Amino acid sequence: MRINVATASLVMVAMPSMGFLPTVRHQGARAQRRNLRMAAKCDVMVVGCGLPSRGMGWFHSLQMLNGECPSAELNHIVEPWFLGGGKEVTGMASNWRVPYNNTNARPPTFAQGPAGEEFAAFKEEWEPKGCAFHASLETVPPPTGPRMALIAGRTADNPKLLRDVIEAGCTKVMLEKPGATTVADLVDMSAYAKEKGVDVYMGYNKNIASYITKAREVEAKTEGAKTKLVTLNAYERDELEECFTRNSEGLLKNMAIHELALAATFYGMRASNVETVEVNKENSECLTLGGFTDFVKVEFTMTTTEGTSVTIFADRCGGAEAMAIVSDSTGKEVFTSTLPDEALKAEVEKKMDDFPDVMPYFWQQESDYRSLKERCAVMAVSNERGAPEGVATIEIAIAALELAEYLTPIMQKELM
């Protein structure tokens, strides 16, 4: 199945044919490097593609295969389950991933749908066009230039996968959030990558989302501005027990981890410098369901020792959008930006009608996913160290996860 997920035409840079760059001899070194970056593409490998129409790795792959990220060329997809023990599976739970290095593991529950057949069809469409598919990293040939690995498998597998792709020669890594299940694992991963000279970027796409950029521009112009970050999901009350069980790491490590990453990136929030945490009890709820204690919704304001404040509100049963609300020094709301906005809502609704099997939030955030990969691919091709503008690094992921682990018991104690 070929789905063109582009929402806007790409502005393509004209490139000289046959790789020849005219007038390079007469340009300075900086201009030469810029032209080479424009002409080059980053060799990309996706690890953990997942189920077509459902997996985050699949959607990342499709955008690159469709040419929507001009600087990224997807040459290899590593999918241990559907190219291993899951070849013959006729249906599987959409939230289950094969444990790394155990390709014969079976999913605990099954759902209707020809899962194995769908992945086989995806492979059959794209492999003849130049993208190689692998059941293991062991069969991926070594890179001949800069290669970026995009890891989108099970969170618990990421510490080993990160080491494996770096040992396989990848010079940059994109890691889906939250990166690891514990702060200790993320710290170890960061130290290893740093030792090997590899930058690790995170899939925190809200960091570069337009609704956040617009809010921060207004915030910068508003005296005494305070910002509230809102994230809403559309669970029904009778679905909460299943939600608590499936997302047992907790709301702050899952649903609201994007907002904690924003707080760490743009407001300097760290578990070590948060002086006060004020919980709005009237707009919060914490329950124990299925043996798991978690928030149904929670609103809280963090203030650092330097006096910087930010408010976060997350509600599992509040809808299907995100917002950034800016207030002035008197507390009056002066600006609100949303994801999706009205124009994007119409576009998302059309794509949901056209492609009903595809996860709706893919369409909602597709332009941000595209931009994130493009920025990282451009940096990879440049062979320069550091992070692209606005892109969260593994250090931000560590800060966000530390905040989640610090805040959860404090707020649960207040609400239980």
Side-chain angles (χ1 to χ4, degrees):
M1 175 176 64
R2 177 181 176 88
I3 300 175
N4 187 346
V5 297
T7 56
S9 60
L10 296 171
V11 179
M12 301 299 291
V13 178
M15 300 178 188
S17 63
M18 304 302 289
F20 175 64
L21 295 172
T23 72
V24 166
R25 290 182 304 168
H26 308 292
Q27 297 173 328
R30 181 176 298 177
Q32 289 184 34
R33 289 197 300 271
R34 183 179 64 248
N35 282 343
L36 287 169
R37 287 198 298 270
M38 289 167 63
K41 283 181 176 285
C42 175
D43 174 15
V44 180
M45 170 174 65
V46 168
V47 182
C49 180
L51 182 64
S53 300
R54 308 288 291 181
M56 188 72 252
W58 168 82
F59 195 75
H60 281 308
S61 298
L62 197 66
Q63 286 190 317
M64 289 184 283
L65 291 170
N66 280 336
E68 295 173 43
C69 305
S71 302
E73 184 171 58
L74 179 57
N75 293 315
H76 301 279
I77 291 176
V78 180
E79 175 48 55
W81 172 245
F82 288 116
L83 296 177
K87 277 184 180 180
E88 306 303 323
V89 169
T90 57
M92 64 173 286
S94 63
N95 61 320
W96 188 84
R97 294 307 304 266
V98 59
Y100 186 63
N101 276 355
N102 185 8
T103 57
N104 293 314
R106 307 293 291 184
T109 57
F110 288 80
Q112 295 300 313
E117 293 177 13
E118 287 182 18
F119 192 85
F122 175 63
K123 177 177 180 287
E124 287 169 9
E125 176 181 1
W126 289 104
E127 196 163 45
K129 300 175 183 178
C131 182
F133 285 70
H134 309 265
S136 166
L137 279 167
E138 295 176 359
T139 62
V140 178
T144 58
R147 174 180 286 171
M148 180 172 72
L150 194 161
I151 300 174
R154 291 195 337 149
T155 301
D157 296 332
N158 286 349
K160 177 166 176 50
L161 284 174
L162 180 87
R163 287 176 175 268
D164 288 350
V165 299
I166 291 175
E167 288 174 3
C170 291
T171 54
K172 305 285 184 187
V173 177
M174 269 189 69
L175 196 59
E176 269 301 324
K177 59 95 177 172
T181 56
T182 68
V183 170
D185 279 343
L186 272 181
V187 170
D188 287 346
M189 292 160 69
S190 176
Y192 181 78
K194 191 174 296 184
E195 175 191 333
K196 299 298 183 179
V198 174
D199 295 313
V200 181
Y201 310 130
M202 300 300 302
Y204 285 118
N205 57 289
K206 286 184 180 179
N207 275 44
I208 62 170
S210 60
Y211 86 104
I212 292 296
T213 301
K214 291 174 184 176
R216 294 192 65 241
E217 289 172 353
V218 173
E219 182 184 60
K221 299 173 185 176
T222 304
E223 186 176 351
K226 301 292 183 186
T227 298
K228 180 177 179 178
L229 303 171
V230 178
T231 181
L232 307 175
N233 279 351
Y235 287 97
E236 299 294 337
R237 297 286 299 190
D238 61 5
E239 297 175 324
L240 285 173
E241 183 171 341
E242 185 272 339
C243 174
F244 279 26
T245 302
R246 183 159 51 85
N247 302 295
S248 59
E249 67 271 30
L251 179 145
L252 292 187
K253 282 189 176 182
N254 182 279
M255 177 182 172
I257 196 70
H258 275 285
E259 282 62 40
L260 291 177
L262 290 169
T265 303
F266 299 118
Y267 302 94
M269 296 288 162
R270 299 291 187 274
S272 59
N273 71 2
V274 173
E275 186 171 45
T276 63
V277 180
E278 298 178 22
V279 182
N280 182 348
K281 294 182 180 181
E282 294 183 357
N283 202 26
S284 302
E285 182 180 9
C286 189
L287 297 176
T288 298
L289 298 171
F292 295 97
T293 298
D294 199 6
F295 306 104
V296 177
K297 61 179 179 178
V298 65
E299 179 176 330
F300 60 98
T301 300
M302 296 180 287
T303 303
T304 67
T305 51
E306 293 81 19
T308 303
S309 296
V310 66
T311 298
I312 293 175
F313 174 53
D315 186 352
R316 293 193 187 276
C317 303
E321 63 180 343
M323 290 178 278
I325 304 168
V326 181
S327 300
D328 63 19
S329 58
T330 69
K332 179 183 176 182
E333 293 182 6
V334 296
F335 180 79
T336 298
S337 55
T338 63
L339 176 70
D341 57 23
E342 289 305 315
L344 183 56
K345 279 182 183 177
E347 186 177 303
V348 169
E349 287 172 2
K350 183 180 185 306
K351 290 195 172 182
M352 287 171 63
D353 289 339
D354 292 342
F355 308 106
D357 294 334
V358 176
M359 293 294 285
Y361 70 87
F362 290 165
W363 303 128
Q364 189 182 87
Q365 303 178 53
E366 65 167 320
S367 64
D368 296 329
Y369 292 142
R370 185 187 308 121
S371 178
L372 185 65
K373 289 190 288 294
E374 176 64 13
R375 293 187 193 192
C376 294
V378 168
M379 183 62 78
V381 169
S382 75
N383 273 322
E384 296 175 2
R385 293 297 308 276
E389 182 181 358
V391 174
T393 63
I394 194 170
E395 286 72 32
I396 290 296
I398 291 170
L401 208 54
E402 284 178 336
L403 282 168
E405 293 186 355
Y406 171 72
L407 292 166
T408 297
I410 292 174
M411 297 194 298
Q412 286 184 350
K413 184 178 179 180
E414 284 206 38
L415 294 172
M416 293 298 287

